[in-house]
Amino acid sequence: MKPTISIIEVARLAGVSKSTVSRVISDRGGSVSPKALDAVNSAIQELGYTRNTIAAGFRMQRTGMVLLLVPDIANPFWSEITRAAQDRLEEEDYSVVVGNTDWSEQRETRYYKLARSGRFDGLILNSVTDDIAAILAIGLPAVMIGERAESQALDTTGTDTRMATRMALDYLWETGHRRIAIATTEHGSERFLSLRRKVYEDFLLEKGLALDADLAFSVKLSEEGGRELVRELVELPRWRDRVDAVLCGNDIMAISAINAFREAGVEPGKDISLVGMDDIPAAAHTFPALTTVRKPRSLMGAMAADLLLSRFEDPAKPPERRLFPGELVLRGSVAKRGRA
Amino acid sequence: MKPTISIIEVARLAGVSKSTVSRVISDRGGSVSPKALDAVNSAIQELGYTRNTIAAGFRMQRTGMVLLLVPDIANPFWSEITRAAQDRLEEEDYSVVVGNTDWSEQRETRYYKLARSGRFDGLILNSVTDDIAAILAIGLPAVMIGERAESQALDTTGTDTRMATRMALDYLWETGHRRIAIATTEHGSERFLSLRRKVYEDFLLEKGLALDADLAFSVKLSEEGGRELVRELVELPRWRDRVDAVLCGNDIMAISAINAFREAGVEPGKDISLVGMDDIPAAAHTFPALTTVRKPRSLMGAMAADLLLSRFEDPAKPPERRLFPGELVLRGSVAKRGRA
DNA sequence: CTGAAAGCGCTAACAA
DNA sequence: TTGTTAGCGCTTTCAG
């Protein structure tokens, strides 16, 4: 583009060696006389020099970049986590590259490959699969967002899924629901049931409710998933006798389901109760507004960044796990039912 | 971390020079004998070598990174543009770093500085200000998303703002509205009125309607902005006689306004008509659903990427401008009024 | 406090 | 087809 201007030009103009210039621009306290410092600074000014961080990073074996992998950047839940992590990381002069896996294992694998390219100092991710070994194999400091059964080996942050799920279920119980369905994603290896699903089964057991296998839906955590849920649900024989509420894996799905139910002539918040998970902004604006479990997105994002940062400082320290509690937000999508 | 393994180790194991290894790993068709190629490939396999793209890029004066600056990544409008641009760019082996300016000039300036760090090959942005000179000064190929009055010098994509605004205004006129307010952001230098605002004034003139300065609101394109709009509007003396519709700068603001109006005891879609801009998913799920102008987000994102890519190919070619038409989406937030 | 010199991992002439 | 050599811009010993 333009004749690149490097420390060598600055050094020449300032009448010092490039070492001295280097000592000035990298703030790591190399001792420079006030006079030299002045000369260098004016030279920098005059030439409009900016430090080439790529070159510096290259030399220092450090890129100043962090890869953040999320499943759906268009979901406000993830964009806010992203933003918070980014804000925190940028304070420490790291730049963040956001990768969108779209819930696809294939795309995730592609990103793992990118992560091995030497471009990044670290990795924050919500992985689609539970293949912790693959993440470890990247050989980069990594932080997981969201609990994973096998992820003892990774720094982890997220919401306490057990507690959040339980909160929603208890609320449905208290409001008189006895035929509760759940819609989660059960992906990949069948040997692993999602945490949410487990909590659900424990809950049924505890309350002495029968487990109706038809009422445990596995759909995507997307608008499409919400529509699919409704489609499958209303096709169940005698469904109105078999289900009075459904706990959705996230708000995106729940909101989509609200709309799909209404289109199918089922009135959400009356004929059927819905509870979401996340509390994205749109949850407050649907009709009826969505009862959901709020997750502290900003805290989670910032925590992920902090965990990574402290892992940079001490690569050898034992993995940490920092979970936040959720908060039940009561709105209009759950009916109050007299006890059956 | 681990004893870095470089082409030099590969070369040694394969019994060739590092140039040969380089020729193999960079696919730019340097001729290599089948035999050598085999040897190198097995060595790579055996050693688990991965190319250090930072080093390669450093040498080639190319980083493979593009900086994408958006004002609000949590707004689905921008996250979808981001995703589309990213998808296109990744096809060409570029990685995308997303910067969130939060409509802040200060943050934008910080990002311009980052852009000058040598980390990026190019820049795609929706700038907060109209300071094209500052963007040019970065010295990087740049593509602007969204029309800018002064941006003849930059490759530009976006929606035809004039047409989109006009569409909305005409629709309000046809449905019998005669007291139309507008809510846009008028920032920075007062000498510059937003395009939208100009179209609005032209429209009033053409229809012989009086320009009521109180009805041109300048608020942020955010939830906060929507609330502020309503707050200011309902405090206008005799407002019910002075305004029957408002055209909002984007959907986020419009949806927030819908809710704020209802809380203020004003029924949207009846007492007041609202038109948004963008057609984000939530627009379909509000109550009443939002009438708005749809913008082709994916096309815009992909076009931005394409413009940048072709600018890489030919840095000298004249700037292009590719605008897409908007599409009016009729829903429930606009009342049908008998002619006054 | 400062300069000379040696690379970080890779690519690109240029010779052979 | 291959190897040798010279860096990309910066940091960092090591002498001075």
Side-chain angles (χ1 to χ4, degrees):
Chain A
M1 192 127 274
K2 64 180 93 167
T4 313
I5 116 115
S6 77
I7 51 170
I8 229 162
E9 280 74 50
V10 176
R12 183 147 34 220
L13 181 60
V16 297
S17 76
K18 56 194 197 112
S19 314
T20 301
V21 177
S22 172
R23 288 195 255 275
V24 172
I25 60 177
S26 64
D27 54 9
R28 57 197 72 236
S31 31
V32 181
S33 69
K35 193 174 149 222
L37 192 142
D38 246 40
V40 170
N41 276 134
S42 358
I44 287 177
Q45 205 69 47
E46 188 171 336
L47 264 32
Y49 167 80
T50 11
R51 179 158 173 256
N52 183 329
T53 45
I54 285 277
F58 176 46
R59 174 61 226 248
M60 298 195 291
Q61 305 285 49
R62 174 233 195 241
T63 65
M65 304 230 118
V66 168
L67 181 61
L68 174 57
L69 256 29
V70 298
D72 180 11
I73 190 63
N75 179 341
F77 177 72
W78 290 111
S79 27
E80 285 185 28
I81 285 181
T82 297
R83 188 203 293 230
Q86 197 169 354
D87 284 351
R88 180 73 188 88
L89 255 8
E90 281 173 1
E91 279 172 20
E92 305 295 327
D93 278 330
Y94 285 92
S95 297
V96 177
V97 178
V98 181
N100 218 141
T101 62
D102 257 323
W103 306 105
S104 142
E105 294 195 28
Q106 191 188 328
R107 295 198 61 164
E108 184 164 280
T109 305
R110 261 186 48 201
Y111 276 116
Y112 286 179
K113 195 175 157 218
L114 178 66
R116 267 187 273 101
S117 69
R119 262 195 233 264
F120 304 100
D121 292 331
L123 181 63
I124 298 177
L125 78 171
N126 174 267
S127 68
V128 177
T129 66
D130 291 290
D131 189 352
I132 307 298
I135 298 165
L136 260 13
I138 295 171
L140 237 44
V143 174
M144 179 73 94
I145 299 182
E147 296 181 85
R148 285 295 176 284
E150 314 290 341
S151 67
Q152 322 289 26
L154 250 35
D155 292 309
T156 301
T157 186
T159 312
D160 188 324
T161 306
R162 247 174 265 272
M163 191 190 298
T165 309
R166 188 58 203 228
M167 242 173 207
L169 256 9
D170 282 340
Y171 177 66
L172 285 172
W173 175 266
E174 286 160 18
T175 46
H177 299 81
R178 293 297 178 268
R179 300 181 303 271
I180 304 173
I182 189 170
T184 55
T185 304
E186 306 298 327
H187 54 315
S189 44
E190 262 74 23
R191 59 188 168 76
F192 183 72
L193 268 193
S194 76
L195 219 45
R196 239 168 242 163
R197 181 72 169 275
K198 272 188 197 134
V199 176
Y200 171 70
E201 297 186 355
D202 290 350
F203 172 85
L204 294 183
L205 207 67
E206 182 189 317
K207 298 297 188 190
L209 299 175
L211 172 63
D212 183 343
D214 287 346
L215 262 40
F217 297 89
S218 176
V219 293
K220 294 176 71 174
L221 298 173
S222 60
E223 303 213 358
E224 169 52 27
R227 287 190 292 268
E228 194 186 330
L229 160 68
V230 173
R231 210 180 307 127
E232 290 183 11
L233 195 150
V234 302
E235 273 179 8
L236 247 36
R238 305 177 301 101
W239 73 265
R240 280 171 191 269
D241 298 332
R242 290 168 68 190
V243 37
D244 56 10
V246 23
L247 172 57
C248 295
N250 73 359
D251 282 358
I252 295 278
M253 176 209 283
I255 290 171
S256 164
I258 281 186
N259 290 287
F261 270 125
R262 183 161 327 90
E263 279 163 25
V266 181
E267 197 175 332
K270 190 146 173 276
D271 300 336
I272 186 111
S273 292
L274 270 319
V275 178
M277 191 69 66
D278 291 350
D279 191 31
I280 62 175
H285 304 335
T286 52
F287 184 73
L290 181 66
T291 291
T292 188
V293 180
R294 177 176 304 158
K295 295 184 179 179
R297 300 187 269 288
S298 296
L299 290 179
M300 287 166 58
M303 176 57 78
D306 281 332
L307 286 173
L308 189 62
L309 256 9
S310 54
R311 167 90 20 225
F312 286 156
E313 303 234 312
D314 180 4
K317 76 176 172 49
E320 288 181 46
R321 163 180 291 251
R322 299 294 180 82
L323 301 182
F324 296 94
E327 180 192 349
L328 192 63
V329 182
L330 270 30
R331 291 195 274 247
S333 63
V334 172
K336 310 276 193 275
R337 305 194 189 285
R339 289 298 158 84
Chain B
M1 191 128 276
K2 62 181 98 171
T4 313
I5 119 116
S6 77
I7 51 171
I8 231 164
E9 281 72 52
V10 176
R12 183 146 35 218
L13 181 61
V16 298
S17 76
K18 58 195 195 109
S19 316
T20 302
V21 178
S22 172
R23 286 192 261 266
V24 172
I25 60 178
S26 63
D27 53 8
R28 57 197 72 233
S31 32
V32 182
S33 70
K35 195 176 146 220
L37 192 141
D38 245 38
V40 170
N41 277 136
S42 356
I44 287 178
Q45 204 70 47
E46 190 172 334
L47 264 32
Y49 166 81
T50 11
R51 179 159 176 254
N52 183 328
T53 44
I54 285 277
F58 176 45
R59 175 60 228 246
M60 297 194 293
Q61 304 284 54
R62 174 227 196 246
T63 67
M65 304 232 123
V66 167
L67 181 61
L68 173 59
L69 255 30
V70 297
D72 180 11
I73 189 64
N75 179 341
F77 177 72
W78 290 111
S79 28
E80 285 186 29
I81 284 181
T82 297
R83 186 202 295 230
Q86 197 169 352
D87 284 350
R88 181 73 189 89
L89 254 8
E90 279 172 1
E91 278 172 21
E92 306 295 327
D93 278 328
Y94 285 92
S95 298
V96 177
V97 177
V98 181
N100 217 143
T101 63
D102 257 324
W103 306 104
S104 142
E105 294 194 28
Q106 190 188 330
R107 297 198 60 163
E108 184 164 281
T109 306
R110 263 186 45 202
Y111 276 116
Y112 286 180
K113 196 175 156 217
L114 177 66
R116 266 187 275 101
S117 70
R119 263 195 233 265
F120 304 99
D121 292 332
L123 182 63
I124 299 178
L125 79 172
N126 174 267
S127 68
V128 177
T129 66
D130 290 290
D131 190 352
I132 307 297
I135 297 165
L136 260 13
I138 295 171
L140 234 46
V143 173
M144 180 72 94
I145 299 182
E147 295 181 86
R148 285 296 176 283
E150 316 289 341
S151 67
Q152 322 289 26
L154 248 37
D155 292 309
T156 301
T157 185
T159 312
D160 188 324
T161 305
R162 244 174 266 274
M163 192 191 294
T165 309
R166 188 58 202 227
M167 241 173 207
L169 256 10
D170 282 340
Y171 177 65
L172 285 173
W173 175 266
E174 285 161 18
T175 47
H177 299 81
R178 294 296 177 269
R179 300 181 303 271
I180 303 172
I182 189 170
T184 55
T185 304
E186 304 298 327
H187 55 316
S189 44
E190 262 73 23
R191 60 188 167 75
F192 184 72
L193 269 193
S194 76
L195 218 47
R196 239 167 242 164
R197 181 71 170 275
K198 272 189 197 134
V199 175
Y200 172 70
E201 296 186 357
D202 290 350
F203 172 84
L204 294 183
L205 208 68
E206 182 188 318
K207 297 298 188 188
L209 299 176
L211 171 62
D212 183 343
D214 287 344
L215 262 39
F217 296 88
S218 176
V219 293
K220 293 176 71 174
L221 298 174
S222 61
E223 302 213 359
E224 169 51 29
R227 288 190 293 267
E228 194 185 330
L229 161 68
V230 173
R231 209 180 309 127
E232 291 183 11
L233 194 151
V234 301
E235 274 179 9
L236 246 38
R238 306 178 298 103
W239 73 265
R240 280 170 190 271
D241 298 333
R242 289 167 70 188
V243 38
D244 55 9
V246 24
L247 173 58
C248 295
N250 74 359
D251 282 356
I252 295 276
M253 176 208 284
I255 290 171
S256 165
I258 281 185
N259 290 286
F261 270 126
R262 181 160 330 91
E263 279 162 26
V266 181
E267 195 174 333
K270 190 146 173 275
D271 300 336
I272 187 110
S273 292
L274 270 320
V275 178
M277 190 70 64
D278 290 350
D279 191 31
I280 62 176
H285 303 335
T286 53
F287 183 73
L290 181 66
T291 291
T292 187
V293 180
R294 176 175 303 157
K295 296 182 178 180
R297 299 187 270 287
S298 296
L299 291 179
M300 286 165 60
M303 177 57 80
D306 281 332
L307 285 173
L308 189 62
L309 256 8
S310 55
R311 166 85 26 219
F312 287 155
E313 303 234 313
D314 180 4
K317 75 178 172 47
E320 287 182 45
R321 161 178 291 252
R322 297 295 179 82
L323 300 183
F324 295 94
E327 179 192 348
L328 192 63
V329 181
L330 270 29
R331 290 196 272 247
S333 63
V334 171
K336 310 276 192 279
R337 306 193 189 285
R339 290 298 158 81

